[in-house]
Amino acid sequence: MISYKELGLVNTRAMFAKAVDGGYAIPAFNFNNMEQLQAIIMAAVETKSPVILQVSKGARNYANQTLLRYMAQGAVEYAKELGCAHPEIVLHLDHGDSFELCKSCIDMGFSSVMIDGSALPYDENVALTKKVVEYAHQYDVTVEGELGVLAGVEDEVAAEESHYTKPEEVIDFVTKTGVDSLAISIGTSHGAYKFTPEQCTVDPTTGRLVPPPLAFDVLEAIEKKLPGFPIVLHGSSSVPQEEVDTINANGGCLKAAVGIPEEQLRKAAKSAVCKINIDSDSRLAMTAAIRKTFAENPAEFDPRKYLGPARDNMKKLYIHKIVNVLGSNDKLIN
Ligand code: G3H
Ligand code: 13P
Ligand code: ZN
């Protein structure tokens, strides 16, 4: 059993309370490799932002769970080396799908876990989430649950259609399970294709697809039921069109990729939404930079020469999200 506290990590409790009060959201960035992690930490240190490092089940399978955990431990030391005396870094399991997976992460030093029982019948979701909370809280690890279903792929769980969270269920769910935060479904979804062209309108000046707005009425109803309770938004990439254009101009083929407009995320961040999950935008920033490098210099074969620009582009993206979308800059507690 390794305690996250020995690794210099923190759980989400204090940072969420401060974020809800302050009307901003903490960035939750997924990572699978060193360049992503470096870019996240550089961005968080430069902006003086708390940050959540998210590891999905797919990331564990790709990069090895032990290696990822040591990388997160290294990230704390790296942040200090970059000049942040008291970094606030959470190591979080994204979309945990079983008690055993959550327990294994807690036992190896994660400070926060998500148990995603959203695809289960309500009572089973409650029972599974409660079991994870009871174990996690013994070690002061915080737990995110989910109610409502996001369309698209949630790690290995795929849903054809989204089902908005039912505001009438949230008090019962939070009370029975004891979760520390709740992921809800209000129209976001995972990946770079969040809406079909049929669901969108077309902006006459730019010709770009404009997606339908998020269900802010559902969010407001949830906030009324649970005043001040930390709410989480998954599937919150905006799919920057300039990255999509760079990818397509350099041999890629991403057609009709569309995300959540940043002004809607800014609005959500000012409410009880205090954690915003972003993964796809980082993938796009990385891919765009790599494709551009190869197109401009087909003879290049030193990975540092294409992963370096990819890291720079991701860092730029993370800083933009922190400062212009989530508002978590200059919010370190110490
Ligand atoms: O919610 C899903 C995250 O973007 C993680 O994706 O399962 O492909 O690592 P992944
Ligand atoms: P995106 O695919 O919109 O980046 O969402 C990521 C996410 O929700 C991770 O849990
Ligand atoms: Zn997610």
Side-chain angles (χ1 to χ4, degrees):
M1 176 84 207
I2 301 152
S3 168
Y4 68 86
K5 294 179 187 179
E6 289 160 29
L7 310 182
L9 298 162
V10 297
N11 69 22
T12 58
R13 199 166 289 120
M15 70 169 69
F16 282 177
K18 194 168 174 243
V20 173
D21 273 0
Y24 61 92
I26 309 291
F29 297 132
N30 291 69
F31 81 103
N32 299 266
N33 59 53
M34 183 186 76
E35 283 75 12
Q36 273 178 321
L37 186 60
Q38 288 174 313
I40 295 168
I41 296 301
M42 285 190 277
V45 169
E46 277 184 33
T47 58
K48 300 186 173 58
S49 173
V51 72
I52 297 173
L53 302 173
Q54 299 203 132
V55 172
S56 70
K57 195 172 164 186
R60 280 170 54 110
N61 292 341
Y62 173 76
N64 179 277
Q65 52 164 338
T66 309
L67 197 49
L68 286 175
R69 202 273 286 165
Y70 277 101
M71 284 169 78
Q73 186 177 349
V76 175
E77 300 311 315
Y78 180 47
K80 289 182 186 163
E81 208 176 291
L82 290 176
C84 181
H86 301 286
E88 286 169 34
I89 301 175
V90 174
L91 178 59
H92 175 77
L93 169 68
D94 192 25
H95 295 286
D97 60 357
S98 68
F99 172 77
E100 290 69 29
L101 176 57
C102 292
K103 179 179 181 302
S104 148
C105 287
I106 293 164
D107 292 352
M108 75 178 326
F110 280 55
S111 58
S112 176
V113 292
M114 174 188 193
I115 177 69
D116 182 356
S118 61
L120 298 172
Y122 181 79
D123 289 340
E124 287 176 39
N125 186 5
V126 168
L128 176 60
T129 306
K130 185 171 188 283
K131 188 173 172 189
V132 171
V133 170
E134 278 167 3
Y135 186 76
H137 281 184
Q138 290 177 56
Y139 304 101
D140 204 17
V141 168
T142 40
V143 180
E144 175 183 324
E146 180 167 333
L147 258 187
V149 179
L150 274 69
V153 179
E154 292 202 51
D155 211 342
E156 282 154 23
V157 185
E160 293 271 305
E161 276 178 51
S162 72
H163 302 284
Y164 289 165
T165 305
K166 296 185 186 129
E168 61 276 18
E169 285 182 348
V170 296
I171 296 180
D172 187 67
F173 186 81
V174 164
T175 314
K176 282 188 179 150
T177 60
V179 277
D180 302 282
S181 60
L182 182 67
I184 60 164
S185 172
I186 56 166
T188 63
S189 60
H190 292 100
Y193 299 92
K194 300 192 187 298
F195 304 95
T196 61
E198 294 73 40
Q199 290 174 298
C200 302
T201 52
V202 177
D203 181 327
T205 32
T206 60
R208 303 267 196 215
L209 293 172
V210 181
L214 298 179
F216 280 99
D217 53 334
V218 175
L219 174 59
E220 276 161 30
I222 292 169
E223 285 188 84
K224 274 204 188 110
K225 299 272 182 194
L226 296 173
F229 191 81
I231 300 297
V232 177
L233 270 196
H234 282 248
S236 296
S237 277
S238 295
V239 187
Q241 291 303 300
E242 60 279 14
E243 304 295 4
V244 173
D245 290 347
T246 303
I247 291 170
N248 289 341
N250 291 289
C253 184
L254 296 179
K255 294 223 173 73
V258 56
I260 311 297
E262 289 185 337
E263 55 281 8
Q264 298 211 20
L265 297 170
R266 262 196 296 271
K267 183 174 166 188
K270 290 192 175 123
S271 72
V273 170
C274 64
K275 172 176 181 269
I276 289 192
N277 287 12
I278 296 168
D279 186 0
S280 299
D281 283 355
S282 157
R283 297 177 182 194
L284 291 166
M286 185 171 209
T287 303
I290 291 173
R291 279 199 178 275
K292 189 162 178 284
T293 306
F294 282 142
E296 286 169 0
N297 193 351
E300 190 53 72
F301 69 99
D302 178 344
R304 294 169 297 187
K305 297 283 168 46
Y306 52 88
L307 294 177
R311 185 173 61 193
D312 293 344
N313 206 31
M314 287 188 285
K315 179 183 165 190
K316 198 172 106 202
L317 170 95
Y318 294 134
I319 290 178
H320 166 69
K321 296 285 175 184
I322 288 170
V323 175
N324 301 317
V325 186
L326 282 73
S328 63
N329 50 302
D330 300 309
K331 299 295 192 302
L332 291 175
I333 289 169
N334 289 298

